């Protein structure tokens, strides 16, 4: 090394602040061409030190991106956050964007099992996919860990270090002929810090683990289903003055036809307008005993017809809705209120 090289190295060591751990100062210095440094005069040498300080300072203070991507829920800017609080959504954000924000926040709040390290890929082929998947408007983000321990110990720790608002809702296992059994737990997220029933539903943490010798592989998924939003076409006007009712129970009970006044009509309209939007996809439903309630609401020259299924999936269909609108759920609640107004049993014509 020449005298000038040694002097430059010493000046850099003395004048340049120590860079953060993720940057190697020696690599930054060695990246500069030595041939140019050798030809520098003394004033230029001092200027080079100033430039080097400025370059490293720019690297240090550059803000980190807030886009963490799949598999990461940790803040990247070194700040302390409380991921369990429900922050206000960005102005103009869509239901899907708000659901994605909630999913990322839930994933960031997931406990880390001791003696495990986070990895950026599934630690076992059995953890490549979540154990339970839903069709429709699903938003899913995942993280993976591996470390010493057992599946049982990992689940015990996880279940006892959950953030507020999460409760266990299910468990399961899956096994194949050529691999270890995958165990799974599901935790529902509810309460004011997590719920936005008009924006998303089924917000949950799914935890899967597999024993790999003396190690345990863990996968954690945060999931949510974003909801299609209702427009005026999917709501009943508050000004309804009456509702024509047809209760149909083919083969089980006599049909009932009646017109209810404004008070009952508005009560039914308020109940229907508050029902959640149905999710697309395949779901298991209770027994469907048949029968429908058809409600025709009248508000001046405006009419809105609603079909209610009181059993099965208990769907509520609004005539004139947007083509891609999936309908509502909660037909059983509407039927109970309607039967009370009509003076009939709540299960009128719905049993063998």
């Amino acid at each position: 090394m020449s005298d000038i090289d040694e002097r430059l190295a010493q000046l850099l060591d003395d004048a340049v602040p120590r860079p953060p751990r993720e940057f190697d100062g020696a690599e930054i210095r060695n990246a500069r061409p030595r041939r140019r440094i050798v030809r520098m005069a003394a004033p230029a040498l001092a200027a080079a030190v100033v430039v080097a300080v400025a370059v490293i300072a720019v690297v240090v203070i550059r803000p980190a991106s807030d886009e963490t991507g799949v598999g990461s829920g940790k803040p990247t800017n070194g700040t302390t956050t409380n991921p369990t609080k429900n922050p206000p959504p960005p102005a103009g954000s869509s239901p899907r964007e708000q659901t994605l924000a909630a999913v990322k926040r839930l994933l960031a709040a997931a406990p880390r099992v001791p003696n495990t390290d986070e990895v950026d890929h599934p630690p076992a082929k059995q953890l490549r996919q979540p154990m339970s998947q839903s069709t429709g408007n699903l938003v899913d983000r995942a993280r993976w860990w591996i470390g010493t321990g057992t599946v049982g110990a990992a689940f015990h720790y996880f279940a006892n270090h959950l953030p507020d608002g999460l409760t266990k809702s299910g468990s399961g296992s899956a096994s194949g002929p050529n691999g270890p059994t995958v165990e799974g737990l599901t935790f529902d997220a509810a309460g004011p810090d997590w719920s936005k029933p008009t924006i998303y539903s089924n917000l949950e943490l799914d935890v899967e683990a597999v024993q790999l010798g003396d190690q345990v592989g863990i996968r954690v998924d945060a999931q949510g289903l974003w909801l299609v939003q209702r427009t005026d076409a999917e709501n009943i006007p508050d000004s309804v003055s009456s509702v024509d009712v047809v209760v149909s129970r083919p083969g089980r009970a006599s049909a009932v036809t009646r017109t209810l006044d404004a008070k009952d009509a508005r009560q039914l309209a308020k109940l229907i307008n508050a029902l959640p939007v149905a999710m697309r996809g395949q779901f298991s439903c209770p027994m469907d005993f048949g029968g429908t309630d058809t409600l025709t609401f009248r508000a001046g020259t405006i009419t809105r017809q609603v079909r209610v299924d009181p059993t099965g999936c208990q769907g509520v269909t609004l005539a004139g809705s947007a083509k891609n609108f999936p309908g509502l759920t909660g037909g059983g609640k509407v039927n109970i209120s309607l039967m009370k107004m009509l003076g009939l049993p709540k299960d009128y014509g719905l049993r063998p």
Side-chain angles (χ1 to χ4, degrees), residues 162-185:
L162 291 168
D164 292 340
L166 269 74
T167 56
K168 181 180 175 181
S169 58
S171 61
S173 62
S175 60
N178 300 317
T181 299
V182 180
E183 304 288 345
L185 296 177

Side-chain angles (χ1 to χ4, degrees), residues 238-243 260-263 265-266 297-300:
D238 296 333
S239 58
V240 293
S241 56
S242 64
V243 57
L260 301 178
D261 61 15
K263 179 182 177 180
R266 290 172 184 175
F297 292 90
R298 303 188 183 279

